[in-house]
Every structure is written in structure tokens, then in C-alpha cells.
Amino acid sequence: MTTDDKDRGRSRRDFLGVSMTALCGGALAFNLVLILALLFVIGWQGGRFFWQKEVLQLTLSDGAKVLGELHSSETIPADMEGGGGERVQIRLGNRDLTGNDFQWFDVRQIASRELPRDVVVLERLEWGNFYGRMVELKQGEALLASGSEAVWKAFGPLHDRKRAERAEIRKLEKGALGDVNLAIEKLRLAARRLELEKPAADERARRQATIDRDLATREAEYEKLAAELFAMRERLETEKLVMQAADGGRKELAVGAIVRAIRPNELSAAGKLRLYLSRLREFVADDPRESNTEGGIFPAIFGTVMMVFLMSFAVVPLGVLAALYLREYAKQGPLVRMVRIAVNNLAGVPSIVFGVFGLGFFVYTVGGTLDRLFYAEALPTPTFGTGGILWGALTLAILTVPVVIVATEEGLAAVPAIVRAGSLALGATKWETTWKVVVPAAAPGILTGVILAMARAAGEVAPLMIVGMVKLAPTLPIDGTFPFVHFERKFMHLGFHIFDVGFQSPNVDATKPLVFATALLLILVVTVMNLVAISIRNHLRKKYAGSAV
């Protein structure tokens, strides 16, 4: 072979090498662009959900008037009847009057558009938004204010007082009244436990008398608090706001049932920004309302984070101990290879199968046994023998344990043999070497597996629907009631909230932006949890850098 042939061959190899490098770099750049585009679309669609739009008053060609926000627009296909042109979708609100939140209008039917400054948008506890003008403010039969401007000035202080009253009602319901209800339930269970234990007659009579006395005291407290709650609710609905819709119809609304009142066409940019931040805070920190289509999603955030951390606490011992045995103690042979193959295959099992396993084993078998042994007085109402956050976390731990096993084995294999030999040469036992030398050095690899497991668990929905996740959980798994952490309670999850709002809501047009907002929040929650784990992993990697891990 001549020198020219060698040069040409080297040039071809160099060209192929550069081409493959460029191809790989281009593929990486393309993937990054797709990820950024996806995040931008989710962020844009979800972020605009909280921005207040101007409210239009449309006068139609037949003289009818319409109030609402411009939601979307589209071109009418030319092949449709009366095709061509454009139509707009207006969010009308006033669902309790018209039955529909949205309506399409052909642009050719619109005679004029206005931005009236006295139009008010009311966000309500029920029935969604109301668009109209304030007419009267009444307290019982007494007229407090009349006319749009006068009512608007009088409404603010009154509404602030009603919001404080509503907060007092919630405090009473979740505080004193809830405590009394819990005490009454405990006394009922104590009476049932007494029946099951069947003590001596005199002992039973003494204990039953104590229970009856305490029960009578608690029931009297409950009646007093219930009467107080009823009176507070009546006072909350005393003041009424009379609103006039675009068609001239009037609607009387309780001031206490109004969450927020705004005049969007009078808001400055700073005012809209303050309103945006207020709605964003409400979305993150408050409870949902109107079948999860309005309000906040704090219980779903809390349930997702708690479930992921419980899963992590369960999966780390399972995965790490299994990997330690397979890598450090088990005699390598056909049986160990079969176990590894089984672990790898387990990662490909559909997640719903794990949900069925969790229902049969954790809920019915383990939970049912716990109920029979420790909560017999509550039966047939199950305590642990029904879906709960503990069973959801353990089910996801079984689902993600193959990821942790594989990552841990890779981390253990990366620890140099000389490190083990040095520890053993200094007199350490096999266990001391494994626990104090090998495992800390392999910790970055272990945490890599945990990070992957957390990311997958946070997005799983199908198995959780079977073992404890619900549409709306009235109480959080952690509260101020002993034992403070309630593993038996059901929980909400961001993934299921996305499914519920996006596919189960009857008002799809209104909830579509909410789907994007919740998806963005789920991404942020997973990112924050992963960043915490990654920072710990990087710290350990620097700490054990000398061991060539």
C-alpha cells in the first residue's frame, strides 16, 4: 500500500469520525431543543391561566349584548355552512344562569366591541365566575348601597369582613369541632372494644359508665359547637350582592360565597401582576374547590411529595441490601444470573400489575391482618385494610426496586478491589469493610438509583389509583392529631389531578390551562427533589474522589 493510499484511508477515517461526532452533537442539541420547547409550551399554557384578561362587551347584530373574556379564535372552514371568515370563543361565566361557560360567535355577527370600566368579575366558591355589573348591596331587607360605583366602594370592606368570618368557620370546623368529633369516635370504638373483650360484669359496668359519662359530655360540646357553626353560617349569608348580567337579568349572590371581586378593565399592569401573584399563591397553597377545577392544589402537592419520600425510605433498604448480597456475598453462578435476569425483567412489568399486587398483598393481606389484630373494634370499617398512602408508597417501592438494585450494583462494581483488600489487610471483617468502606464509596451510584426511582415514582398514576389515591382527600396524612402521621389515610397526587381535570371534568375548555399549570408544577416538584438528591450525590462523590469512584 502506497503512502497516498494510507493518507486517503486516514482522511476517510478522520472524516467519518468528525461526521459521527457532529451527528451525535446534533442529536443531543435536537433533544435539548425539544425539551426546552416542551417546557416552554407547558409553561406558557399553564402560566397564562392566572393572568386576568380584559372583559369585552359585545353587541351582536340582533341587538343582544354579551359580556365575557376572549378565550380563543379560529378560522371557519370554507366548506362549512356559511363557511369562511372567523369565529371567537367567549368565556361568559354565569353558569348558574345560562348553563354554559363558553360560547362561539361568528365575527360577522358582532356589531361592536367595548371595554366597559364598571364590569365586575366575581370568583365564587361555587358555579365559577360571574360577569356583570353591581346593582345593589343588601343586608336582609335593608339596602346598604345602590348603583355601580356606590356598591363597589361599599363591597370591599364588607367582603374583607366576610372572608374573615369564612376563615373562622374553617377554623372551627377543622379545630374544636373536629376534635370533638374525633373524641366521640374514640369513645364509640372504646365501647365496641369493651364488648369484644368481655371483662367481668363489675369491671364492664364501671368502664361502660365512664364511657357513657364522657360521651354525654362530648355530645353536649358537639351540640354547642354545631349551633355556633350554624349561626356563623347564617351570618355569612346575611349580606347579598345583586348583580346584573349582560342581558339585563339579575342574580342575588351571598357576599360570603365570593372569593374575589375585580374590575379587570380598570386594572393597571401592576394591578394585574399583583392579581397574578395572588392567584398563583392560591393555586399552590389552598385547597381545591368545584371538583378540583378551581382553587388550589396544595393537598395534591403534599401527597405527591410525602408519597415519594415514603417510597424512597422503603426502596433504599430493599434495593441496597439485595444489591449488596448479589455483588458482595452471593456465589456467582447460574442462580445469581437468573436472579439478575428476573430483576431486569421486573423493570419491564406494566405498572398496573404492581397496583394489583399492592391491592392483594399490602391492602387485603397485610392491612386486613393489622385490622383484625389491632383495630378489631373498628371493623367492618377498615383502618389499614383499605387504600392508603403507606400502601401506595410500598407498591411504588416494589415497582422501582429493580432500578435501585441495578444502580447500586454498578456503584459497588466501580469501587476498586484494592480498597477492599486494603481494608481487609488492616484487620477489618468482611461486614465492616462492606458497611464502612464499600457502601460509602458506592453511595453516589446508590443515590443515582434513588434519583431515577423518585423521578419514576412521582409520575406513576395507574397503580396508585388502586391502592389509595383519590380525587379529593378531605384531610392530609399529617396533622396535629396524635399520632400526627396517619399512614392509613388516602391522599391526592399531582399526576392523578392532571388526569382528573383534563379528562374527567365536564368543563374541558375552562380546565385545559389548569392541566398545563399542574403539569408544570409536577415537573418543578420532581426537579426540586432530584436537585436535592443530586447535590447530596455530588458531595459524596467529591468526598470519596480519592477512591476513584
Side-chain angles (χ1 to χ4, degrees):
M1 181 179 294
T2 64
T3 303
D4 292 340
D5 292 336
K6 291 180 180 180
D7 291 340
R8 282 194 295 270
R10 189 180 301 111
S11 299
R12 283 195 296 270
R13 290 194 299 270
D14 291 343
F15 175 76
L16 289 174
V18 172
S19 300
M20 290 303 299
T21 302
L23 181 62
C24 294
L28 176 61
F30 181 69
N31 289 332
L32 290 176
V33 169
L34 289 179
I35 293 172
L36 292 175
L38 175 63
L39 292 176
F40 175 78
V41 170
I42 294 176
W44 170 256
Q45 294 290 345
R48 70 187 183 94
F49 174 72
F50 308 102
W51 187 259
Q52 178 60 50
K53 300 177 182 178
E54 295 176 329
V55 175
L56 297 171
Q57 177 172 288
L58 305 181
T59 302
L60 305 182
S61 54
D62 59 0
K65 294 183 180 296
V66 174
L67 275 176
E69 300 175 17
L70 178 62
H71 187 70
S72 63
S73 62
E74 66 179 25
T75 302
I76 303 175
D79 56 352
M80 292 182 61
E81 183 179 351
E86 186 181 4
R87 64 175 185 171
V88 293
Q89 188 183 33
I90 303 297
R91 182 175 185 177
L92 304 174
N94 305 8
R95 194 164 63 243
D96 46 343
L97 294 180
T98 63
N100 295 316
D101 241 346
F102 295 84
Q103 188 173 345
W104 287 96
F105 295 94
D106 193 323
V107 172
R108 291 169 294 188
Q109 296 177 338
I110 301 174
S112 64
R113 304 187 187 194
E114 302 175 60
L115 293 173
R117 301 181 64 83
D118 62 340
V119 169
V120 176
V121 177
L122 300 179
E123 297 177 15
R124 301 180 287 176
L125 293 175
E126 297 179 346
W127 296 105
N129 290 355
F130 191 97
Y131 297 86
R133 293 176 171 85
M134 292 180 168
V135 178
E136 293 177 345
L137 190 61
K138 300 190 296 184
Q139 185 177 32
E141 297 299 325
L143 185 64
L144 300 178
S146 179
S148 179
E149 294 300 325
V151 174
W152 175 252
K153 291 179 181 178
F155 177 83
L158 177 61
H159 184 240
D160 290 339
R161 190 168 74 247
K162 290 302 169 183
R163 285 169 55 186
E165 291 179 8
R166 198 162 65 232
E168 288 297 321
I169 290 176
R170 286 198 301 269
K171 182 179 178 181
L172 178 60
E173 290 174 337
K174 294 186 177 182
L177 194 59
D179 293 341
V180 172
N181 266 326
L182 180 62
I184 291 175
E185 177 64 14
K186 287 182 177 179
L187 290 170
R188 184 190 71 80
L189 295 177
R192 173 61 179 161
R193 191 182 307 115
L194 187 61
E195 292 179 6
L196 296 176
E197 292 176 357
K198 297 179 181 179
D202 55 344
E203 174 70 12
R204 177 171 183 173
R206 183 184 64 80
R207 290 168 60 183
Q208 186 65 51
T210 302
I211 292 173
D212 291 341
R213 183 176 64 253
D214 292 343
L215 186 60
T217 302
R218 292 297 187 179
E219 286 180 343
E221 292 179 13
Y222 177 83
E223 293 296 332
K224 180 180 178 181
L225 291 172
E228 181 181 349
L229 178 64
F230 181 76
M232 292 173 67
R233 286 177 173 170
E234 279 196 331
R235 288 198 302 271
L236 188 66
E237 298 182 357
T238 301
E239 290 81 3
K240 303 288 186 179
L241 173 65
V242 180
M243 294 290 295
Q244 185 177 42
D247 60 0
R250 294 192 174 189
K251 178 70 177 180
E252 202 172 76
L253 306 172
V255 176
I258 297 172
V259 177
R260 188 182 284 112
I262 53 177
R263 280 183 167 180
N265 295 340
E266 288 186 348
L267 286 176
S268 62
K272 289 185 177 181
L273 181 59
R274 286 194 297 271
L275 178 61
Y276 182 90
L277 295 176
S278 174
R279 286 174 172 171
L280 187 60
R281 184 213 60 80
E282 178 187 55
F283 179 68
V284 174
D286 287 1
D287 292 341
R289 62 178 190 268
E290 281 282 83
S291 297
N292 291 344
T293 60
E294 295 179 12
I297 58 171
F298 176 74
I301 300 172
F302 188 91
T304 303
V305 174
M306 183 176 177
M307 186 274 302
V308 169
F309 277 110
L310 286 177
M311 181 278 304
S312 301
F313 293 143
V315 76
V316 169
L318 288 174
V320 172
L321 291 177
L324 277 174
Y325 180 78
L326 290 174
R327 175 61 59 176
E328 301 292 328
Y329 291 96
K331 183 179 180 181
Q332 303 302 311
L335 180 59
V336 173
R337 287 197 295 271
M338 289 178 61
V339 171
R340 286 199 175 97
I341 292 173
V343 168
N344 293 331
N345 288 338
L346 194 63
V349 175
S351 60
I352 192 66
V353 176
F354 288 95
V356 174
F357 170 80
L359 179 67
F361 179 71
F362 291 124
V363 177
Y364 292 154
T365 303
V366 180
T369 302
L370 289 176
D371 282 352
R372 288 190 295 272
L373 292 177
F374 303 105
Y375 302 95
E377 66 275 8
L379 293 175
T381 302
T383 302
F384 280 94
T386 184
I389 192 167
L390 176 62
W391 306 139
L394 292 179
T395 300
L396 289 187
I398 299 297
L399 186 150
T400 56
V401 74
V403 178
V404 178
I405 291 176
V406 173
T408 302
E409 280 208 74
E410 293 296 328
L412 294 172
V415 179
I418 193 172
V419 174
R420 296 177 175 84
S423 176
L424 294 172
L426 292 173
T429 63
K430 175 70 172 176
W431 169 248
E432 289 173 336
T433 299
T434 301
W435 183 246
K436 296 183 179 181
V437 178
V438 177
V439 171
I446 296 172
L447 282 173
T448 297
V450 175
I451 292 169
L452 295 174
M454 290 171 59
R456 181 176 181 187
E460 285 292 345
V461 174
L464 298 178
M465 294 172 65
I466 303 177
V467 291
M469 183 174 60
V470 292
K471 175 187 177 73
L472 181 63
T475 53
L476 296 176
I478 296 180
D479 57 21
T481 304
F482 183 83
F484 310 118
V485 180
H486 306 275
F487 294 115
E488 79 281 2
R489 287 184 181 172
K490 300 184 185 300
F491 65 102
M492 296 179 66
H493 189 275
L494 287 171
F496 182 73
H497 189 272
I498 294 171
F499 167 77
D500 176 61
V501 172
F503 299 96
Q504 303 297 311
S505 173
N507 198 358
V508 177
D509 288 321
T511 58
K512 190 184 300 181
L514 185 60
V515 173
F516 288 100
T518 308
L520 179 62
L521 190 57
L522 177 59
I523 293 172
L524 292 176
V525 167
V526 175
T527 301
V528 169
M529 291 190 295
N530 286 347
L531 287 176
V532 172
I534 288 171
S535 64
I536 297 173
R537 182 187 65 183
N538 292 340
H539 172 74
L540 293 174
R541 184 169 288 163
K542 291 178 181 178
K543 182 177 180 180
Y544 296 101
S547 62
V549 177

